[in-house]
Amino acid sequence: MSDTKALARAEWRQHWPLVLAASIAFSFTSVMTASTGLFIEPWTKEFGWSRTLLSSGMSITSVTTFLFSPVFGVLIDRIGTRRMALPGLLLLAATMASLSLLNGTVWMWFTIWTVYAVAALATKSTVWTAGVASAFDAGRGLALGLTLSGSALAQAITPPLTNWLIDAYGWRMALVWLGLGWGGLAILLCVFLLFDGYDASRKERAKNPGAADSKSLLSDAPGLSIAEAWRSAALWRIAISTFVIMVVTIALVVHQIPILMEIGVSRTAAANYAGMAGLAGIAGKLVTGWLLDRYPARWVGGLTLAATAATFILLLLPNRSMPIIFTAMFINGYAAGTKLQIAGYLTSAYGGMKNFGAIFGTMASLIALGSGLGPLLGGYVFDTFGNYDPYLWIGIFGTFLSAFLIFGLPDYPEWVRRRRVEESFI
């Protein structure tokens, strides 16, 4: 076990710059999701659009990701993450800033979001998860936790920052600052620090051109073939669980500001609560990463996802006080923020790294579908019933179903069990 800890420390000494770059870049890809709720009010006042329409932008991105994620997953296995991420980040930053040019025409709204969706394909969680998982083994859980904490960092910083930018400079300049400022930092870090196992494999192949016939850069790593992955009951449970939790939690992220304002919280206070939930999410990812490296992932993941139900229950209580709201947002930030981390770790454990990009890319299609349906569901519920209560009930059922699917996973595959048995004799 001491050798395992030494290996983890060695991995961190070598690859901490990769985790830093991936985390900041992933935080940038989450900025639009975390800030959309704050733009709903000014967009509604200026353009008179419904919340269903305003939720459609993220849905366009999700549908595009749903359709094309498997293709981009295969590309990750063949060209690596760096060649995917850098052009994607450049286009994402430019497109986010271009939302400042909206003039009230619906066709312009859909056009910008369609371009944004293409950029998002090259910068989704699959890219950062694959890059970090390719470089870490003994410390993979914590490394994924820190990397995917980028989304929690965005959730913590973006709402209060966006609220301040809107008040100080207006919603148009707020989008420019978020797109070019945050995006510029992410691009610079990735240019200088984003080097992972795919890059190491490419260099090795360059030295020995005939050493590997497979088009996958990680063909020598243990794992399932594409056909075996499609037949894996464990991977299907992980995918369906993640789809369900994404539907209910992404809707809460996008609509949390209007939900809190509906129960009497000011926009500024709601933004601060959302930021607090993001800070709790960072803690959740770090604690969950530490636990995943030490305990069975089905128990860690199942308990964490089940705890998310408490958020929806608390928000349904009558006469909700500030302590209740604080507790609800804290629990949601802590528990729901780990969903991609749990999905990525479980996919690498049950699917292996040989075809991780293709497998997780396919799973990302269901994740994207859930992310797209969630905001639409929240907007539709409000437009139909005049409040969000029916959606909160759906959230309770969905979180328990998601947790049940993870609890029911089988033992780890042979390659994971063999590695852990070997570690126990060290």
Side-chain angles (χ1 to χ4, degrees):
M1 188 62 69
S2 60
D3 281 7
T4 303
K5 293 180 180 179
L7 175 59
R9 287 194 294 268
E11 290 174 348
W12 277 104
R13 282 194 298 269
Q14 182 178 0
H15 298 299
W16 70 263
L18 162 66
V19 174
L20 174 63
S23 179
I24 297 301
F26 186 54
S27 75
F28 175 58
T29 68
S30 305
V31 165
M32 205 62 232
T33 301
S35 64
T36 295
L38 285 155
F39 290 109
I40 286 178
E41 183 183 16
W43 281 339
T44 300
K45 286 182 177 179
E46 185 158 344
F47 304 133
W49 292 343
S50 70
R51 294 191 185 181
T52 302
L53 174 61
L54 292 172
S55 301
S56 66
M58 299 304 298
S59 299
I60 292 171
T61 303
S62 299
V63 170
T64 304
T65 305
F66 168 70
L67 293 174
F68 297 105
S69 274
V71 176
F72 277 71
V74 171
L75 285 175
I76 290 173
D77 289 331
R78 296 188 178 186
I79 69 174
T81 58
R82 181 180 175 84
R83 296 182 180 184
M84 180 82 71
L86 289 178
L89 287 171
L90 284 167
L91 184 58
L92 195 69
T95 310
M96 186 181 299
S98 72
L99 283 168
S100 64
L101 302 175
L102 287 172
N103 58 12
T105 56
V106 175
W107 70 264
M108 187 176 185
W109 169 264
F110 287 126
T111 299
I112 292 176
W113 276 105
T114 300
V115 178
Y116 179 93
V118 175
L121 273 169
T123 57
K124 280 297 184 182
S125 60
T126 310
V127 176
W128 319 111
T129 300
V132 171
S134 71
F136 286 84
D137 185 14
R140 183 178 294 168
L142 184 58
L144 285 174
L146 280 168
T147 298
L148 297 179
S149 289
S151 63
L153 178 68
Q155 187 181 353
I157 296 176
T158 302
L161 174 62
T162 303
N163 186 63
W164 177 79
L165 288 171
I166 291 173
D167 288 340
Y169 302 104
W171 66 266
R172 296 181 187 276
M173 285 306 300
L175 284 163
V176 173
W177 279 108
L178 291 173
L180 302 185
W182 204 320
L185 174 62
I187 292 166
L188 284 175
L189 286 174
C190 287
V191 166
F192 293 106
L193 303 179
L194 187 65
F195 299 99
D196 54 24
Y198 292 94
D199 296 292
S201 178
R202 182 182 295 108
K203 291 179 181 178
E204 186 64 29
R205 290 189 176 204
K207 295 178 182 177
N208 303 283
D213 297 326
S214 173
K215 294 181 180 179
S216 173
L217 290 175
L218 300 181
S219 58
D220 294 333
L224 302 179
S225 67
I226 302 299
E228 290 171 334
W230 276 107
R231 297 193 297 268
S232 171
L235 289 178
W236 276 108
R237 293 181 76 98
I238 296 166
I240 295 171
S241 170
T242 307
F243 166 77
V244 173
I245 201 68
M246 292 299 289
V247 168
V248 297
T249 58
I250 291 297
L252 185 58
V253 169
V254 172
H255 291 276
Q256 63 184 335
I257 304 298
I259 288 174
L260 293 179
M261 292 177 66
E262 182 184 282
I263 60 180
V265 180
S266 69
R267 191 185 75 182
T268 299
N272 291 333
Y273 278 120
M276 176 271 301
L279 292 175
I282 295 174
K285 289 178 186 294
L286 297 181
V287 172
T288 300
W290 185 87
L291 292 172
L292 286 171
D293 285 334
R294 289 161 176 80
Y295 301 102
R298 63 187 178 208
W299 293 107
V300 176
L303 289 171
T304 304
L305 295 176
T308 313
T311 295
F312 299 95
I313 295 172
L314 290 172
L315 289 176
L316 278 168
L317 292 176
N319 303 318
R320 287 151 288 203
S321 63
M322 289 300 105
I324 290 176
I325 295 173
F326 180 91
T327 302
M329 300 307 291
F330 181 88
I331 293 173
N332 183 64
Y334 181 92
T338 64
K339 52 191 176 290
L340 289 179
Q341 175 187 4
I342 292 169
Y345 187 93
L346 289 172
T347 302
S348 66
Y350 286 90
M353 290 302 303
K354 179 184 294 185
N355 293 289
F356 179 84
I359 295 172
F360 197 69
T362 301
M363 187 171 296
S365 291
L366 290 178
I367 293 173
L369 181 61
S371 301
L373 290 177
L376 280 179
L377 174 64
Y380 175 79
V381 166
F382 181 87
D383 290 340
T384 302
F385 298 97
N387 60 66
Y388 288 99
D389 286 359
Y391 154 70
L392 295 175
W393 282 107
I394 294 172
I396 295 173
F397 173 78
T399 51
F400 281 132
L401 173 61
S402 180
F404 171 78
L405 290 169
I406 298 301
F407 278 130
L409 286 171
D411 291 336
Y412 282 124
E414 177 62 27
W415 62 82
V416 180
R417 292 201 302 271
R418 183 171 60 251
R419 173 171 59 83
R420 297 201 169 190
V421 168
E422 291 170 353
E423 290 171 359
S424 67
F425 285 101
I426 294 175

